[in-house]
Amino acid sequence: MSETILFDYWRSSASYRLRIALNMAGVAYQSINVDLVKGDQKSPEHLARNPQGFVPVLEIDGLRLTQSLAILDYLDQTRDLNLLPNDPAARVQAQALAHAIAVDLHPVCNLQVAKHATQISGGADGMPGDWMTHFIRPGMQAFETLLGAYDQTPFCTGNAPGLADICLMPQIYNARRWGADISDLPRVLAVESACAAHPAFAAAHPDQCQPTPT
């Protein structure tokens, strides 16, 4: 079987999701850094992998895959991760939780978007931090309320981590990075504690994956 290669960036939320899932699946992989700050994602070499110029890109099972949610679905189906419930009603509710972060909140707080907002604001004081916190805190508050419908612990939808947890943890990292206050969100913080204690999540944390300076 061909080697599994993850083209990622240590602070990329989408890449962080895949690192968690690969760890959960016990899939050994080689990580190749695509430096988003330096613009490596727009290089001809990376655009040949993904014409969108995004990370992550995962080479696995002879395939080259893009889009983190799609790749998570592939890993779930091929590695039996049980990221979503089998019951259709419970499944769609769990997906809604995950999408609230990955589809609605994360894209508007993407580094590329925040940089453009900073540019068109003329480099206004507080940017891009003000942009990030403007969206992150309300998004996390809504997620906290959504979690209340489940009344399940320790993870978002039950006793084992699932798709919603995989999407949530990178967003918590971003909240703390940009100074968005989440201290009054007890359900979110409880899930964070449970995930932080899980080896697959701990090993995927950006602090553990930051490239060594050269």
Side-chain angles (χ1 to χ4, degrees), residues 1 44 50-51 58-59 66 92 100 143 149 157 159 178 185 199 203:
M1 185 176 291
N50 182 357
L58 182 66
E59 294 184 353
T66 62
V92 73
F143 193 89
T157 57
N159 294 323
W178 294 106
L185 308 180

Side-chain angles (χ1 to χ4, degrees), residues 36 46 64 76 104 106-107 166 168 172 176 180 182 197 207 210 213-214:
L36 303 186
H46 189 69
R64 175 176 286 170
D76 193 19
D104 293 329
H106 169 237
I166 288 173
L168 176 62
I172 290 177
R176 298 196 186 285
I182 59 171
D207 290 349
Q210 183 176 3
T214 56

Side-chain angles (χ1 to χ4, degrees), residues 163-184:
L163 184 63
D165 305 279
I166 288 173
C167 292
L168 176 62
M169 286 300 283
Q171 194 58 60
I172 290 177
Y173 174 82
N174 286 336
R176 298 196 186 285
R177 177 187 176 194
W178 294 106
D181 184 17
I182 59 171
S183 63
D184 57 345

Side-chain angles (χ1 to χ4, degrees), residues 4-80:
T4 298
I5 301 174
L6 177 65
F7 296 90
D8 75 345
Y9 181 64
W10 65 287
R11 275 183 163 163
S12 158
S13 295
S15 297
Y16 188 172
R17 294 172 201 150
L18 284 201
R19 294 196 300 265
I20 295 169
L22 288 167
N23 292 343
M24 288 175 64
V27 175
Y29 64 92
Q30 177 188 0
S31 177
I32 296 181
N33 183 53
V34 179
D35 194 321
L36 303 186
V37 175
K38 293 181 179 179
D40 291 353
Q41 72 275 21
K42 299 300 183 182
S43 68
E45 183 180 17
H46 189 69
L47 289 174
R49 300 184 198 108
N50 182 357
Q52 290 182 290
F54 295 154
V55 293
V57 175
L58 182 66
E59 294 184 353
I60 188 170
D61 301 339
L63 303 171
R64 175 176 286 170
L65 306 176
T66 62
Q67 289 292 338
S68 66
L69 291 181
I71 301 172
L72 288 170
D73 183 61
Y74 177 82
L75 292 174
D76 193 19
Q77 293 190 61
T78 60
R79 269 66 181 183
D80 298 321

Side-chain angles (χ1 to χ4, degrees), residues 55-133:
V55 293
V57 175
L58 182 66
E59 294 184 353
I60 188 170
D61 301 339
L63 303 171
R64 175 176 286 170
L65 306 176
T66 62
Q67 289 292 338
S68 66
L69 291 181
I71 301 172
L72 288 170
D73 183 61
Y74 177 82
L75 292 174
D76 193 19
Q77 293 190 61
T78 60
R79 269 66 181 183
D80 298 321
L81 296 181
N82 297 312
L83 298 183
L84 290 167
N86 291 324
D87 175 73
R91 184 181 183 88
V92 73
Q93 289 175 320
Q95 285 177 314
L97 273 176
H99 290 186
I101 298 292
V103 177
D104 293 329
L105 180 54
H106 169 237
V108 75
C109 293
N110 182 278
L111 181 62
Q112 178 177 246
V113 173
K115 279 185 174 180
H116 182 66
T118 302
Q119 290 173 353
I120 64 177
S121 72
D125 290 344
M127 291 290 282
D130 287 350
W131 175 274
M132 297 296 199
T133 56

Side-chain angles (χ1 to χ4, degrees), residues 134-155:
H134 175 80
F135 291 103
I136 292 174
R137 175 159 171 79
M140 296 295 279
Q141 287 175 309
F143 193 89
E144 172 80 8
T145 302
L146 290 169
L147 276 180
Y150 290 87
D151 194 27
Q152 291 181 306
T153 55
F155 299 100

